[in-house]
Amino acid sequence: MAILVALIPMFAWGSIGLVSGKLGGDANQQTLGMTMGAFIFSLGIFFVMRPTIDMMTIIVGFISGLFWFVGQNGQFHAMKAMGVSVGLPLSTGMQLMLNTIAGAIFFHEWQHGRDFVLGFLALALLVAGAYLTSRKDPDGKSEPEAGRKMYDFGKGFRFLFVSTIGYGLYTIIITWAGLDPLAIILPQSIGMLTGALCFSAKKVAFDKYVWRNITSGLLWGIGNICMLLSIQTVGLAVGFSLSQMGIIISTLGGIFLLGEHKTKKEMFYVIIGCLLVIFGGILLGYMKALA
């Protein structure tokens, strides 16, 4: 049951880039709308579940939300610079390395030699899969340019670096604190919304694109609460890694739904990459079954 809960973020988060891409707006509009949706979702959970919130929960949740804003805003900018089918897999691979290593080393979630062997093998499969899904065809320049957007990969990588640090601290601080996931999501969403409002105050008008992207925030809220619950039962290394298998959805969706162009060789890379991600996720589930 714990593994099934850990897989829900895969579908919820894997759809965010596609939903935002269809809803439109720039990176700042998407981030602001998303934080508003996450706040609405967390308010609903709070009034239904009535969790106990103390000062520690408020402080940790708020700080975690600010770090999340840094991560998400950077990821949206990276996807604008590199495309969804490239930016999101690379972001996933970088986050997997940081969070898996943090869970294994800092939180001692891997206790035996077998855990490290299987864990790093699963991580290698996931990162290799993420790399292949974003790999470019070196001969792709000879392909027709119709349908190809002009991407800035250097700019995208800079945004991804900042995004990875923000996302990593967002999950690591919550794991360190060990607080009730149902209680922490409201102050966390306030931190997210505060970061978005402060950053976007003079840059974003509250137009239709902001309101539309509230939908992506609701999706994020569902994935977030399921990931926080799963971390408590399966640990950060496994729970976060399973949640990131959504790159399969985002990569294929970016190609088939958003029309991001791929050559035949790049499609081959995508298929192999998705298979590696699936095998890596299965191996993580097997590790938990052995625990």
Side-chain angles (χ1 to χ4, degrees):
M1 184 64 181
I3 295 296
L4 293 177
V5 173
L7 287 173
I8 292 176
M10 164 188 169
F11 297 99
W13 287 353
S15 304
I16 287 176
L18 306 177
V19 172
S20 294
K22 283 292 185 181
L23 295 175
D26 61 25
N28 293 323
Q29 290 171 317
Q30 290 172 334
T31 304
L32 181 56
M34 191 172 177
T35 56
M36 291 167 62
F39 177 68
I40 293 170
F41 178 85
S42 66
L43 273 180
I45 292 294
F46 176 78
F47 286 117
V48 171
M49 304 303 296
R50 298 286 183 175
T52 301
I53 299 180
D54 57 18
M55 186 55 64
M56 181 68 171
T57 301
I58 293 173
I59 294 173
V60 171
F62 186 82
I63 294 174
S64 170
L66 290 177
F67 282 132
W68 175 91
F69 164 75
V70 173
Q72 186 60 57
N73 190 254
Q75 189 183 78
F76 274 139
H77 277 92
M79 289 191 293
K80 290 292 184 182
M82 309 171 78
V84 174
S85 62
V86 174
L88 202 52
L90 286 177
S91 176
T92 298
M94 294 166 71
Q95 291 178 61
L96 281 168
M97 286 190 287
L98 180 59
N99 281 277
T100 301
I101 292 172
I105 297 177
F106 298 130
F107 301 117
H108 309 291
E109 293 174 357
W110 296 348
Q111 299 291 332
H112 310 289
R114 177 198 65 195
D115 297 332
F116 282 91
V117 172
L118 294 178
F120 280 117
L121 176 58
L123 178 62
L125 290 172
L126 291 167
V127 172
Y131 165 73
L132 285 175
T133 57
S134 62
R135 185 176 177 181
K136 306 301 294 181
D137 182 358
D139 301 321
K141 291 182 179 179
S142 62
E143 296 289 325
E145 291 298 318
R148 276 188 179 271
K149 296 180 180 179
M150 296 301 294
Y151 293 128
D152 186 340
F153 291 96
K155 180 180 179 182
F157 274 114
R158 291 192 293 273
F159 278 120
L160 282 182
F161 177 79
V162 175
S163 172
T164 301
I165 299 299
Y167 268 143
L169 292 173
Y170 139 70
T171 52
I172 290 171
I173 191 175
I174 293 176
T175 306
W176 165 79
L179 300 170
D180 180 8
L182 294 175
I184 204 170
I185 61 171
L186 181 57
Q188 183 184 65
S189 68
I190 294 173
M192 293 162 54
L193 186 57
T194 300
L197 288 172
C198 290
F199 184 83
S200 307
K202 297 182 179 179
K203 297 182 179 181
V204 178
F206 282 79
D207 58 14
K208 62 181 181 180
Y209 296 112
V210 172
W211 300 112
R212 285 178 180 177
N213 277 282
I214 287 177
T215 304
S216 63
L218 298 176
L219 276 174
W220 182 86
I222 294 170
N224 184 51
I225 193 170
C226 289
M227 188 199 70
L228 295 179
L229 290 170
S230 68
I231 283 177
Q232 288 193 330
T233 55
V234 302
L236 175 63
V238 174
F240 183 82
S241 297
L242 288 176
S243 74
Q244 298 305 296
M245 289 176 63
I247 63 169
I248 298 172
I249 298 171
S250 59
T251 300
L252 296 178
I255 296 168
F256 295 111
L257 297 180
L258 301 183
E260 296 179 357
H261 180 79
K262 294 287 182 182
T263 67
K264 290 182 179 179
K265 185 176 290 187
E266 288 169 348
M267 280 302 300
F268 174 76
Y269 293 150
V270 166
I271 293 171
I272 298 301
C274 288
L275 289 174
L276 291 178
V277 170
I278 292 172
F279 290 143
I282 291 173
L283 185 54
L284 286 173
Y286 176 69
M287 279 179 59
K288 188 57 187 176
L290 291 177

